[in-house]
Amino acid sequence: MQRTWFKRVGYCVLQSLTRCLAITAFQVRCWGRENFPRTGGALVCSNHQSFLDPVVIGNSSSRPINYLARKSLFQFGPLGWLLDFVNTIPVEREGFGVGGIRETLRRLKRGEMVLLFPEGTRCNDGHIQPFQQGFSAIARRSRAALVPVGVDGAYDAWPRSERLPQFQQVRVVVGEPLSPELVQSLDDEQLLEELRRRIIDCIAQARQQRDDYS
């Protein structure tokens, strides 16, 4: 289903509110926003440091972004309503479920952007983890641009071991997209290596920006 007028306006309002909160509480800054495609489907691929990642990445884009979340989270009343309101795609488990893959591809082909964490879940130590099996198939079948994103500081702000966030600086860098043509020209191993390299480069740039402002 296409977004209703109420959802489109509501998304913009929530984005403005959470952006103000993120800038105030975590001094979030983003570089490379121009690398988000202005039109067409795009698979936004980022490292996954904490619960803050979807918020800071979503606030970095002028276009609405679709998200992925465990299906079980939709069972918690207000949270489930909020996830549905911002067009979150439910998946059966952490990682890539069949239903989640189908809906992700459907929205990409509809010309929307979807945020996906190739690691599948939050890291335990702040460092990027191996990509999950099956990511290459999603990337190829989508025939969409892959946008590498690096987040630094989110782990320090809200590590997996903590129930509440800390006030730490968070930086986001959006890298140059891999075109659909480039994605199709690479084999699975080359594709994963190239995307991982670009994400790591974005993380390094984000860390440098964080160090410069600390």
Side-chain angles (χ1 to χ4, degrees):
M1 295 178 61
Q2 295 291 340
R3 293 173 184 265
T4 64
W5 177 87
F6 180 70
K7 278 193 173 184
R8 292 197 300 270
V9 173
Y11 184 99
C12 292
V13 172
L14 283 175
Q15 186 181 53
S16 297
L17 291 174
T18 55
R19 180 179 290 148
C20 290
L21 179 61
I23 291 174
T24 301
F26 305 105
Q27 301 178 47
V28 176
R29 300 291 185 275
C30 177
W31 287 262
R33 285 190 179 92
E34 67 278 3
N35 287 319
F36 283 119
R38 294 185 178 182
T39 60
L43 195 57
V44 181
C45 306
S46 172
N47 61 314
H48 199 3
Q49 293 192 337
S50 83
F51 282 133
L52 296 173
D53 300 331
V55 177
V56 298
I57 295 171
N59 285 337
S60 299
S61 170
S62 60
R63 293 177 59 192
I65 291 181
N66 295 273
Y67 307 92
L68 300 178
R70 295 193 307 275
K71 190 174 182 179
S72 58
L73 294 177
F74 286 76
Q75 300 172 4
F76 297 96
L79 176 59
W81 179 88
L82 178 62
L83 290 173
D84 180 69
F85 188 78
V86 296
N87 277 22
T88 303
I89 301 170
V91 296
E92 295 294 336
R93 54 182 171 75
E94 289 188 344
F96 311 128
V98 175
I101 291 175
R102 289 176 178 171
E103 185 58 26
T104 296
L105 294 174
R106 185 177 297 117
R107 297 191 190 189
L108 288 169
K109 291 179 180 178
R110 203 163 65 196
E112 300 183 15
M113 296 204 302
V114 177
L115 172 62
L116 187 149
F117 300 109
E119 298 162 88
T121 187
R122 289 166 293 155
C123 63
N124 292 312
D125 56 8
H127 300 293
I128 190 169
Q129 305 298 304
F131 289 175
Q132 282 205 341
Q133 294 277 338
F135 171 76
S136 297
I138 298 175
R140 292 188 186 287
R141 290 176 61 188
S142 71
R143 296 191 176 276
L146 305 187
V147 184
V149 175
V151 178
D152 186 65
Y155 175 79
D156 295 324
W158 201 350
R160 191 167 187 167
S161 58
E162 299 295 329
R163 298 184 65 179
L164 297 174
Q166 314 281 326
F167 296 129
Q168 298 285 339
Q169 294 183 4
V170 178
R171 299 291 184 259
V172 180
V173 171
V174 183
E176 182 179 352
L178 285 75
S179 68
E181 293 76 20
L182 177 59
V183 172
Q184 297 301 322
S185 70
L186 302 174
D187 61 32
D188 288 355
E189 184 176 352
Q190 292 172 331
L191 176 58
L192 292 180
E193 287 181 356
E194 179 62 19
L195 179 62
R196 185 181 178 86
R197 182 189 67 79
R198 295 198 189 197
I199 292 177
I200 290 175
D201 184 57
C202 289
I203 296 171
Q205 293 180 52
R207 184 168 299 127
Q208 184 61 55
Q209 293 291 349
R210 189 173 170 224
D211 291 342
D212 290 345
Y213 282 82
S214 59

